[in-house]
Amino acid sequence: MRGSATIVGPEPETVAESALRIEGALDVGCFERCWNELLRRHEALRTLFVVKNVPKPLQVVLKQRQLPFTYRDVSALDEQARRAVLASYRSEDLGQKFDLSRDVLLRVGLLKVEPTVHLMVLSFHHILMDGWCQGILLRELLALYQALSQGRPSPLPALATPFRRYVKWLEQQDRAGSLAYWARYLEGYTQAVHAAREPAAADSGTEPIERHAFELSREKTAALVALAARCG
């Protein structure tokens, strides 16, 4: 049973920053250890931001942090009760704001909704990471889980560039020069360019919204990921 869980894809019923459906047997303890290993591995995930009583805002990297991890088993409830618990969790999670100067800016909720189905709700502050980073973390999470759940060491290579080196590089950049470059680049533009338009009157019909779901094989998924990478 260990190491057989599979992240299937977005879970539409949950509206957190990121929600994924996991199918298969899952070792919850190992899953939590994998997330904390990611915090140990990535300095950026152990940062907080100090803005009070300092000459300028500081990003502080702590030596060690534990991920806020919540686990709830609602698989024994009927569907109506399960939906109520999920809605309550969503409301509770959305209402739990991040304190940039104190909190771990990432938290994970794991809800067991069926004997072999879990929902993982990943909440984070956008000052910590963006959508691209989520893909990296999930790939590393899967690699760690497959190894640790089978008693093997982490297969992840050491990071080539420590986060602190990236921060030092940022501090060395010519801010005035960058601002001057963009001022020259945008010279001549006299109005904002809107990427999206307002819907026309004809677009505001009453046609019902439909939802279609389907599954892709591992081979097709891998082929699509490779195609997306080639196309940038």
Side-chain angles (χ1 to χ4, degrees), residues 16-17 30 40 42 48 53 60 75 94 101-103 125 130 135 144 146 159 165 170 189 198 201 209 212 215 218 221:
E17 282 293 340
C30 179
R40 187 201 64 77
H42 294 287
L48 49 80
N53 302 320
V60 180
S75 59
L94 291 176
S101 65
R102 297 173 58 89
D103 296 338
H125 197 290
D130 57 16
L144 281 171
Q146 290 173 358
L159 296 176
R165 187 183 303 173
L170 282 180
Y189 282 94
E198 292 293 330
I209 297 176
H212 300 276
E215 294 186 5
R218 291 177 181 271
T221 300

Side-chain angles (χ1 to χ4, degrees), residues 97-117:
K97 305 302 181 182
F98 288 105
D99 183 338
L100 297 181
S101 65
R102 297 173 58 89
D103 296 338
V104 177
L105 303 180
L106 175 79
R107 59 176 177 262
V108 171
L110 187 67
L111 297 94
K112 183 176 181 179
V113 295
E114 296 178 24
T116 57
V117 176

Side-chain angles (χ1 to χ4, degrees), residues 17 19 39 45 49 51 56 64-66 73 102 106 134 147-148 170-171 173 182 191 203 208 211 224 231:
E17 282 293 340
L39 261 69
L45 300 182
F49 297 83
V51 297
K56 64 178 182 178
Q64 185 175 2
R65 300 216 82 178
Q66 287 292 116
D73 184 349
R102 297 173 58 89
L106 175 79
Q134 289 186 66
L148 271 59
L170 282 180
E171 292 176 341
Q173 301 311 298
W182 286 109
Q191 63 183 16
D203 295 336
R211 178 179 295 165
L224 286 172
C231 295

Side-chain angles (χ1 to χ4, degrees), residues 7-25:
I7 291 182
V8 176
E11 174 53 45
E13 298 297 329
T14 312
V15 290
E17 282 293 340
S18 180
L20 295 173
R21 179 183 177 93
I22 304 174
E23 295 184 354

Side-chain angles (χ1 to χ4, degrees), residues 58-231:
L58 297 176
Q59 184 173 4
V60 180
V61 178
L62 302 183
K63 290 184 178 180
Q64 185 175 2
R65 300 216 82 178
Q66 287 292 116
L67 176 81
F69 186 89
T70 300
Y71 174 71
R72 296 182 184 177
D73 184 349
V74 298
S75 59
L77 302 178
D78 60 44
E79 183 176 354
Q80 183 176 357
R82 188 164 62 241
R83 286 182 176 274
V85 171
L86 294 178
S88 174
Y89 178 84
R90 181 185 70 177
S91 177
E92 174 187 325
D93 185 63
L94 291 176
Q96 186 178 349
K97 305 302 181 182
F98 288 105
D99 183 338
L100 297 181
S101 65
R102 297 173 58 89
D103 296 338
V104 177
L105 303 180
L106 175 79
R107 59 176 177 262
V108 171
L110 187 67
L111 297 94
K112 183 176 181 179
V113 295
E114 296 178 24
T116 57
V117 176
H118 294 75
L119 299 183
M120 182 188 74
V121 181
L122 175 63
S123 301
F124 59 91
H125 197 290
H126 273 294
I127 199 172
L128 186 70
M129 63 179 185
D130 57 16
W132 288 100
C133 299
Q134 289 186 66
I136 296 172
L137 286 182
L138 289 177
R139 286 196 297 272
E140 294 189 349
L141 175 70
L142 289 174
L144 281 171
Y145 182 81
Q146 290 173 358
L148 271 59
S149 64
Q150 298 173 12
R152 295 184 284 110
S154 169
L156 301 178
L159 296 176
T161 305
F163 180 67
R164 63 175 68 92
R165 187 183 303 173
Y166 169 68
V167 173
K168 289 181 179 179
W169 175 83
L170 282 180
E171 292 176 341
Q172 294 169 357
Q173 301 311 298
D174 181 2
R175 178 177 177 81
S178 297
L179 291 174
Y181 166 82
W182 286 109
R184 292 192 302 270
Y185 187 87
L186 297 174
E187 186 177 3
Y189 282 94
T190 58
Q191 63 183 16
V193 178
H194 296 284
R197 63 178 179 85
E198 292 293 330
D203 295 336
S204 56
T206 58
E207 291 296 323
I209 297 176
E210 296 183 357
R211 178 179 295 165
H212 300 276
F214 60 92
E215 294 186 5
L216 296 175
S217 67
R218 291 177 181 271
E219 292 74 16
K220 288 184 177 179
T221 300
L224 286 172
V225 170
L227 176 62
R230 290 197 302 272
C231 295

